Amino acid sequence: PGFSRAMDEYSKALVGVARAVLRAMAIALQVEPRRMDPLLAHAHLSFVGLLHYPRYSPVNSNSAALGTHEHVDANVITLLRQHDLNGLQVAHIDGSWEDIIPEPEMLIVNVGMFMQVLSNDIFR
């Protein structure tokens, strides 16, 4: 019961953060900030997923390292916590990649394909 309650509270807090991020993006797109609110209006439009990737050690691994292939999230935005694990990269428009160095309490916002379409490629 305690875990379920904690996850429910965490999920609600993340929806609040997502709402603030989407309103800031709306301002950047020069539309009314609450214009993005319907994207979070239904519970089934947002979810919390807990993923754990084991630490990667190049000394003890082969080419079949754990992780995900380069991809674009299909949603509006994704909020990520890296904790102290390296491995996340972002692609620049020129095709180069940059490592995201984890910092304590940092929350990463990934722009999804749906936001890319909504913003007419302003956000990618």
PDB file of all heavy atoms in Angstrom, residues 21-34:
ATOM      1  N   VAL A  21       5.851  22.708 -17.945  1.00  0.00           N
ATOM      2  CA  VAL A  21       6.718  22.652 -19.129  1.00  0.00           C
ATOM      3  C   VAL A  21       5.904  22.936 -20.389  1.00  0.00           C
ATOM      4  O   VAL A  21       6.325  23.724 -21.248  1.00  0.00           O
ATOM      5  CB  VAL A  21       7.430  21.278 -19.226  1.00  0.00           C
ATOM      6  CG1 VAL A  21       8.107  21.104 -20.576  1.00  0.00           C
ATOM      7  CG2 VAL A  21       8.436  21.117 -18.100  1.00  0.00           C
ATOM      8  N   LEU A  22       4.740  22.314 -20.511  1.00  0.00           N
ATOM      9  CA  LEU A  22       3.915  22.521 -21.700  1.00  0.00           C
ATOM     10  C   LEU A  22       3.427  23.963 -21.807  1.00  0.00           C
ATOM     11  O   LEU A  22       3.353  24.519 -22.910  1.00  0.00           O
ATOM     12  CB  LEU A  22       2.736  21.551 -21.712  1.00  0.00           C
ATOM     13  CG  LEU A  22       3.104  20.090 -21.963  1.00  0.00           C
ATOM     14  CD1 LEU A  22       1.882  19.199 -21.800  1.00  0.00           C
ATOM     15  CD2 LEU A  22       3.730  19.906 -23.335  1.00  0.00           C
ATOM     16  N   ARG A  23       3.126  24.579 -20.674  1.00  0.00           N
ATOM     17  CA  ARG A  23       2.712  25.984 -20.715  1.00  0.00           C
ATOM     18  C   ARG A  23       3.876  26.871 -21.153  1.00  0.00           C
ATOM     19  O   ARG A  23       3.678  27.826 -21.912  1.00  0.00           O
ATOM     20  CB  ARG A  23       2.166  26.417 -19.353  1.00  0.00           C
ATOM     21  CG  ARG A  23       0.792  25.833 -19.090  1.00  0.00           C
ATOM     22  CD  ARG A  23       0.251  26.223 -17.739  1.00  0.00           C
ATOM     23  NE  ARG A  23      -1.088  25.659 -17.544  1.00  0.00           N
ATOM     24  CZ  ARG A  23      -1.762  25.748 -16.418  1.00  0.00           C
ATOM     25  NH1 ARG A  23      -1.257  26.392 -15.371  1.00  0.00           N
ATOM     26  NH2 ARG A  23      -2.958  25.203 -16.317  1.00  0.00           N
ATOM     27  N   ALA A  24       5.082  26.569 -20.705  1.00  0.00           N
ATOM     28  CA  ALA A  24       6.257  27.332 -21.149  1.00  0.00           C
ATOM     29  C   ALA A  24       6.480  27.136 -22.646  1.00  0.00           C
ATOM     30  O   ALA A  24       6.817  28.098 -23.364  1.00  0.00           O
ATOM     31  CB  ALA A  24       7.495  26.896 -20.359  1.00  0.00           C
ATOM     32  N   MET A  25       6.266  25.923 -23.128  1.00  0.00           N
ATOM     33  CA  MET A  25       6.413  25.669 -24.560  1.00  0.00           C
ATOM     34  C   MET A  25       5.344  26.429 -25.349  1.00  0.00           C
ATOM     35  O   MET A  25       5.626  26.944 -26.433  1.00  0.00           O
ATOM     36  CB  MET A  25       6.352  24.163 -24.841  1.00  0.00           C
ATOM     37  CG  MET A  25       7.533  23.404 -24.248  1.00  0.00           C
ATOM     38  SD  MET A  25       7.364  21.611 -24.388  1.00  0.00           S
ATOM     39  CE  MET A  25       8.384  21.333 -25.839  1.00  0.00           C
ATOM     40  N   ALA A  26       4.143  26.506 -24.807  1.00  0.00           N
ATOM     41  CA  ALA A  26       3.077  27.264 -25.469  1.00  0.00           C
ATOM     42  C   ALA A  26       3.460  28.736 -25.589  1.00  0.00           C
ATOM     43  O   ALA A  26       3.261  29.350 -26.642  1.00  0.00           O
ATOM     44  CB  ALA A  26       1.765  27.114 -24.699  1.00  0.00           C
ATOM     45  N   ILE A  27       4.017  29.284 -24.523  1.00  0.00           N
ATOM     46  CA  ILE A  27       4.470  30.685 -24.561  1.00  0.00           C
ATOM     47  C   ILE A  27       5.526  30.864 -25.651  1.00  0.00           C
ATOM     48  O   ILE A  27       5.495  31.825 -26.417  1.00  0.00           O
ATOM     49  CB  ILE A  27       4.986  31.128 -23.184  1.00  0.00           C
ATOM     50  CG1 ILE A  27       3.812  31.215 -22.202  1.00  0.00           C
ATOM     51  CG2 ILE A  27       5.727  32.458 -23.272  1.00  0.00           C
ATOM     52  CD1 ILE A  27       4.233  31.355 -20.751  1.00  0.00           C
ATOM     53  N   ALA A  28       6.456  29.914 -25.728  1.00  0.00           N
ATOM     54  CA  ALA A  28       7.494  29.987 -26.765  1.00  0.00           C
ATOM     55  C   ALA A  28       6.891  29.911 -28.162  1.00  0.00           C
ATOM     56  O   ALA A  28       7.435  30.494 -29.104  1.00  0.00           O
ATOM     57  CB  ALA A  28       8.520  28.870 -26.565  1.00  0.00           C
ATOM     58  N   LEU A  29       5.769  29.213 -28.285  1.00  0.00           N
ATOM     59  CA  LEU A  29       5.082  29.102 -29.579  1.00  0.00           C
ATOM     60  C   LEU A  29       4.125  30.264 -29.817  1.00  0.00           C
ATOM     61  O   LEU A  29       3.424  30.296 -30.825  1.00  0.00           O
ATOM     62  CB  LEU A  29       4.310  27.777 -29.652  1.00  0.00           C
ATOM     63  CG  LEU A  29       5.158  26.513 -29.663  1.00  0.00           C
ATOM     64  CD1 LEU A  29       4.285  25.284 -29.496  1.00  0.00           C
ATOM     65  CD2 LEU A  29       5.989  26.427 -30.938  1.00  0.00           C
ATOM     66  N   GLN A  30       4.092  31.178 -28.865  1.00  0.00           N
ATOM     67  CA  GLN A  30       3.256  32.378 -28.932  1.00  0.00           C
ATOM     68  C   GLN A  30       1.760  32.042 -28.991  1.00  0.00           C
ATOM     69  O   GLN A  30       0.992  32.650 -29.739  1.00  0.00           O
ATOM     70  CB  GLN A  30       3.677  33.275 -30.100  1.00  0.00           C
ATOM     71  CG  GLN A  30       5.097  33.750 -29.962  1.00  0.00           C
ATOM     72  CD  GLN A  30       5.559  34.616 -31.112  1.00  0.00           C
ATOM     73  OE1 GLN A  30       4.898  34.763 -32.123  1.00  0.00           O
ATOM     74  NE2 GLN A  30       6.731  35.221 -30.935  1.00  0.00           N
ATOM     75  N   VAL A  31       1.372  31.062 -28.174  1.00  0.00           N
ATOM     76  CA  VAL A  31      -0.043  30.752 -27.994  1.00  0.00           C
ATOM     77  C   VAL A  31      -0.372  30.865 -26.508  1.00  0.00           C
ATOM     78  O   VAL A  31       0.526  30.889 -25.661  1.00  0.00           O
ATOM     79  CB  VAL A  31      -0.423  29.347 -28.533  1.00  0.00           C
ATOM     80  CG1 VAL A  31      -0.183  29.252 -30.021  1.00  0.00           C
ATOM     81  CG2 VAL A  31       0.296  28.254 -27.795  1.00  0.00           C
ATOM     82  N   GLU A  32      -1.651  30.931 -26.194  1.00  0.00           N
ATOM     83  CA  GLU A  32      -2.086  31.069 -24.808  1.00  0.00           C
ATOM     84  C   GLU A  32      -1.561  29.885 -23.989  1.00  0.00           C
ATOM     85  O   GLU A  32      -1.671  28.739 -24.419  1.00  0.00           O
ATOM     86  CB  GLU A  32      -3.622  31.118 -24.782  1.00  0.00           C
ATOM     87  CG  GLU A  32      -4.218  31.770 -23.558  1.00  0.00           C
ATOM     88  CD  GLU A  32      -4.279  30.830 -22.370  1.00  0.00           C
ATOM     89  OE1 GLU A  32      -4.644  29.662 -22.556  1.00  0.00           O
ATOM     90  OE2 GLU A  32      -3.956  31.279 -21.269  1.00  0.00           O
ATOM     91  N   PRO A  33      -0.921  30.133 -22.831  1.00  0.00           N
ATOM     92  CA  PRO A  33      -0.269  29.064 -22.074  1.00  0.00           C
ATOM     93  C   PRO A  33      -1.148  27.860 -21.747  1.00  0.00           C
ATOM     94  O   PRO A  33      -0.676  26.723 -21.798  1.00  0.00           O
ATOM     95  CB  PRO A  33       0.189  29.759 -20.793  1.00  0.00           C
ATOM     96  CG  PRO A  33       0.340  31.175 -21.174  1.00  0.00           C
ATOM     97  CD  PRO A  33      -0.715  31.441 -22.217  1.00  0.00           C
ATOM     98  N   ARG A  34      -2.415  28.071 -21.468  1.00  0.00           N
ATOM     99  CA  ARG A  34      -3.296  26.957 -21.114  1.00  0.00           C
ATOM    100  C   ARG A  34      -3.761  26.162 -22.344  1.00  0.00           C
ATOM    101  O   ARG A  34      -4.467  25.167 -22.210  1.00  0.00           O
ATOM    102  CB  ARG A  34      -4.492  27.461 -20.319  1.00  0.00           C
ATOM    103  CG  ARG A  34      -4.073  28.024 -18.981  1.00  0.00           C
ATOM    104  CD  ARG A  34      -5.269  28.436 -18.154  1.00  0.00           C
ATOM    105  NE  ARG A  34      -4.873  29.145 -16.964  1.00  0.00           N
ATOM    106  CZ  ARG A  34      -4.465  28.590 -15.832  1.00  0.00           C
ATOM    107  NH1 ARG A  34      -4.384  27.284 -15.742  1.00  0.00           N
ATOM    108  NH2 ARG A  34      -4.133  29.318 -14.798  1.00  0.00           N
TER     109      ARG A  34
END
